[in-house]
Amino acid sequence: MLIVVSGPSGVGKGTVISRLLERQPELAKSVSCTTRGPRPGEQDGVDYHFVSVDRFRQMVAAGEFLEYARVHQDLWYGTPIAPVEAALAAGTDIALEIDYQGARSVRQAFGNRAALVFIAPPSWDALVARLQGRSTESADATAKRLASAKREFRHIGMFEYVVVNDELERAVIELESILIAERCRLESIDWQELQRQLSSEA
Ligand code: ADP
Ligand code: 5GP
């Protein structure tokens, strides 16, 4: 299954997902392509694949994205399709940290095989404080992310789950609980095979 994690920049998606990956080592994480430059400490191929606009366009033309979208007015972000297909073929669950436009595309492509989770801040002021406290963006880039945040909030209704990232540990446990519950859905398992086995043993 795919677990899609959306929410405004600065809400703590990256922090919550990295804690989830520590707890669920068999969960894979999709590494997106972006046309934005790396922040201090971000590693190419780990946090994102940092690509030029030309390269991004080539990848779009070559059909290399599962989904892609323009975010923060002038930046492009996209999910490479090959690692997602490889993970699913291997039976590995995969987390996608993408915006609401990407979440909508994934829902259309994967239906119930994707769980859509929105990470919300405890308040607007807390979001602003986290974004500013991270100190990774210029004032202009921060303003664009706050404008994007308002757009994200207008689309909360399309998600299936909301996790309020107030206390970090609780948010991580809630996201992990969603993952575990989704794995137990009838459509996530080969229930007909299970039924056959149980019936032949009865
Ligand atoms: P995102 O990936 O959504 O852009 P980050 O994971 O980079 O957000 O988190 C933004 C900032 O908020 C970071 O400085 C992070 O340490 C901090 N943060 C994350 N979760 C919490 C939390 N529950 N309480 C307080 N600060 C948090
Ligand atoms: P930043 O990390 O630049 O502050 O914000 C990135 C924004 O783009 C976040 O809202 C994040 O969810 C979104 N994003 C990251 N990767 C992708 C992707 O591959 N596709 C889409 N649609 N959105 C993405």
Side-chain angles (χ1 to χ4, degrees):
M1 59 161 293
L2 295 95
I3 183 155
V4 172
V5 180
S6 301
S9 262
V11 72
K13 300 180 297 297
T15 308
V16 173
I17 291 174
S18 66
R19 297 288 281 271
L20 178 65
L21 291 169
E22 285 167 16
R23 297 175 63 92
Q24 296 276 335
E26 74 283 17
L27 178 69
K29 183 181 179 294
S30 160
V31 179
S32 295
C33 291
T34 179
T35 61
R36 85 154 159 75
R39 295 178 182 135
E42 280 184 333
Q43 281 179 269
D44 191 27
V46 176
D47 299 289
Y48 281 104
H49 300 287
F50 297 99
V51 298
S52 66
V53 176
D54 282 349
R55 174 76 189 118
F56 196 94
R57 284 207 189 104
Q58 282 169 7
M59 293 180 76
V60 171
E64 290 180 35
F65 287 126
L66 173 66
E67 62 73 36
Y68 65 93
R70 195 173 70 171
V71 189
H72 308 323
Q73 290 179 29
D74 51 4
L75 298 173
W76 291 91
Y77 295 82
T79 305
I81 196 163
V84 174
E85 286 183 345
L88 293 181
T92 304
D93 297 330
I94 184 158
L96 272 59
E97 186 188 330
I98 59 179
D99 84 327
Y100 74 92
Q101 303 170 86
R104 189 162 49 202
S105 303
V106 169
R107 162 62 80 234
Q108 280 162 5
F110 288 92
N112 285 346
R113 288 182 77 193
L116 307 190
V117 185
F118 191 90
I119 310 280
S123 67
W124 176 257
D125 288 351
L127 177 67
V128 176
R130 280 181 202 172
L131 204 49
Q132 289 174 346
R134 196 170 63 184
S135 307
T136 48
E137 263 75 38
S138 64
D140 176 57
T142 300
K144 283 180 178 159
R145 279 162 179 72
L146 290 174
S148 297
K150 289 182 181 163
R151 258 191 303 281
E152 290 274 335
F153 293 149
R154 285 202 288 276
H155 293 86
I156 287 184
M158 61 175 265
F159 289 83
E160 293 162 282
Y161 298 96
V162 176
V163 169
V164 177
N165 183 18
D166 189 349
E167 208 245 301
L168 180 61
E169 276 313 309
R170 196 183 40 75
V172 174
I173 296 295
E174 286 184 7
L175 188 59
E176 185 177 33
S177 305
I178 293 166
L179 175 70
I180 293 168
E182 285 289 322
R183 285 177 177 158
C184 297
R185 287 178 78 102
L186 199 59
E187 59 258 46
S188 299
I189 60 165
D190 188 349
W191 62 269
Q192 283 153 324
E193 176 54 26
L194 177 66
Q195 191 177 48
R196 254 192 304 277
Q197 272 177 23
L198 294 173
S199 306
S200 68
E201 286 165 12

